Amino acid sequence: MSKMQPEPVLEDGYLKPVELVDVFVANVVDKKKTSQIVKELAMIAPLTDLQHLKRVRISTDKGGPLQIVLYKKPPIEIHKNNVEASPYVDLHKVISCIDGIGNIYLVKVPSSPPLTRHQYNEAIKYWPVNFHEDKQISSLLSGKYFTDEELKDIERYMKMAVELALIAKRSNQQPIGAVIVDPVNKKVIAEAYDLRQAGYSLQHAVMVAVDLVAHSQGGGMWQFKDRECGLKYSQHHTSEIINDKNGPYLCTGYDLFITQEPCTMCSMALVHSRIGRVFYGSSHPAGALGTHYKIHCQQGLNHHYKVFKNCLSLETDKLYQCS
């Protein structure tokens, strides 16, 4: 992997450019009355969905007046006689009468709060905003999230997944390999590959891997005939879990390393099995962890996991070029 950092697959909000909205702004002609003006505006025209904006700023012109946000420009209504009208005309009149308010004009400002340092730096070009930095997100986006030791481990597990994919390919299966690891003790819990063409269409590599983890905990649904051909689960782990009733539920806290982006079914199975992180090599047009969907980012799910893509992708892409 040549020390390349896996790319985090984040919610779209972290990656989108700054979007702008029009607001009415006025000059403060008497700075001593600024505090009183802010209080009056808070009652007359609260910012509601623009709470991230700082209400007052120093003019961008050197020596210019203070500028204060009044309210967001409302949508224009068209009356039956085709005359444009604003539902906020009366509000405009009221605000223009506030003592200390000067000229009123339109300014573009960020429509939503910045989620990243980059968005913040872009947002303040238009108007001062509040920003509470998420250190973990900033670290993920920095390209320096994983240590060299962690990168070596990711490369090692991804190479194991590639070898499993090659076993699948030789068996006329989809060339997809998967490895599930306990990152705390670096123990490999399950090694799996795709079996959907062996007669059971649900046996995608992820589903097989999760079922092997269940076997390692004394459960499991499927009985596999080909365990001697590469499918494995930790037998030592089995006795540990059976004797420990407080052990993990399926994949809680575990890492999945897989050669190809999982589909929707597999991505939801990873939600239900409580996986901790997913690392995959090649993207897929129907993939549900970054390409077609972002299942792990969906609001309302009772579990979310981190996803990283482009792990050892130069090698994983070769698996699918002629398949």
Side-chain angles (χ1 to χ4, degrees):
M1 205 155 43
S2 302
K3 297 293 186 292
M4 285 183 61
Q5 292 273 338
E7 182 180 343
V9 181
L10 300 174
E11 183 182 340
D12 291 341
Y14 293 109
L15 307 173
K16 68 180 183 180
V18 173
E19 296 177 352
L20 303 175
V21 64
D22 287 322
V23 298
F24 284 105
V25 168
N27 292 337
V28 178
V29 295
D30 187 346
K31 293 183 180 180
K32 293 180 181 179
K33 296 180 179 179
T34 303
S35 179
Q36 182 59 36
I37 294 171
V38 169
K39 289 179 182 178
E40 291 186 53
L41 286 173
M43 292 186 291
I44 299 170
L47 289 180
T48 59
D49 59 337
L50 296 176
Q51 299 270 345
H52 57 285
L53 297 179
K54 294 190 176 181
R55 192 127 211 182
V56 180
R57 77 169 181 180
I58 300 173
S59 173
T60 53
D61 298 326
K62 188 175 182 180
L66 291 179
Q67 297 170 309
I68 188 165
V69 175
L70 303 180
Y71 59 93
K72 183 164 68 174
K73 180 185 177 183
I76 296 297
E77 293 180 349
I78 305 297
H79 287 179
K80 291 181 180 179
N81 56 4
N82 291 327
V83 176
E84 291 185 355
S86 167
Y88 279 61
V89 169
D90 291 340
L91 180 58
H92 200 74
K93 288 181 180 179
V94 170
I95 289 176
S96 64
C97 293
I98 293 177
D99 189 24
I101 289 283
N103 296 331
I104 297 177
Y105 45 93
L106 281 172
V107 169
K108 290 190 180 296
V109 300
S111 62
S112 57
L115 301 177
T116 67
R117 176 65 61 178
H118 175 72
Q119 290 175 343
Y120 170 73
N121 290 335
E122 289 299 308
I124 59 175
K125 293 177 182 177
Y126 299 94
W127 194 271
V129 296
N130 297 308
F131 176 53
H132 305 286
E133 187 171 15
D134 185 322
K135 297 294 186 181
Q136 187 176 65
I137 294 295
S138 295
S139 180
L140 283 169
L141 292 171
S142 71
K144 300 177 182 178
Y145 185 70
F146 295 104
T147 65
D148 286 347
E149 186 64 30
E150 289 171 325
L151 290 174
K152 288 179 183 178
D153 288 337
I154 292 168
E155 181 176 11
R156 177 160 61 94
Y157 299 132
M158 283 302 301
K159 284 185 174 180
M160 290 176 63
V162 169
E163 289 301 316
L164 289 160
L166 290 172
I167 293 175
K169 192 170 187 176
R170 290 194 291 269
S171 303
N172 295 317
Q173 297 291 335
Q174 293 280 346
I176 304 172
V179 177
I180 292 180
V181 178
D182 183 343
V184 175
N185 54 27
K186 299 186 180 182
K187 181 183 293 183
V188 175
I189 307 301
E191 300 173 44
Y193 51 83
D194 208 285
L195 290 171
R196 74 185 79 176
Q197 291 176 206
Y200 199 8
S201 60
L202 295 181
Q203 289 183 334
H204 293 202
V206 167
M207 305 297 283
V208 174
V210 171
D211 196 62
L212 288 172
V213 172
H215 276 281
S216 80
Q217 298 174 4
M221 180 177 70
W222 293 318
Q223 297 301 316
F224 300 104
K225 299 176 182 178
D226 298 324
R227 282 195 55 200
E228 68 278 10
C229 297
L231 299 185
K232 298 177 184 177
Y233 62 85
S234 174
Q235 292 281 8
H236 180 60
H237 192 64
T238 306
S239 59
E240 287 179 347
I241 296 298
I242 291 175
N243 294 327
D244 180 8
K245 294 184 179 180
N246 296 317
Y249 169 76
L250 278 181
C251 301
T252 301
Y254 292 165
D255 292 341
L256 167 69
F257 299 84
I258 185 164
T259 55
Q260 189 179 81
E261 181 183 359
C263 66
T264 301
M265 174 185 73
C266 292
S267 299
M268 282 305 300
L270 293 169
V271 171
H272 295 306
S273 63
R274 302 296 190 270
I275 200 74
R277 299 184 297 184
V278 175
F279 298 82
Y280 69 83
S282 301
S283 297
H284 189 277
L289 295 183
T291 303
H292 194 59
Y293 297 114
K294 290 184 178 179
I295 292 292
H296 62 297
C297 297
Q298 293 298 309
Q299 298 296 319
L301 294 179
N302 60 0
H303 177 72
H304 296 88
Y305 48 86
K306 293 183 177 67
V307 176
F308 300 88
K309 66 179 181 178
N310 296 331
C311 303
L312 213 69
S313 57
L314 289 178
E315 293 191 31
T316 61
D317 286 350
K318 293 176 183 177
L319 293 167
Y320 311 110
Q321 287 171 356
C322 300
S323 61

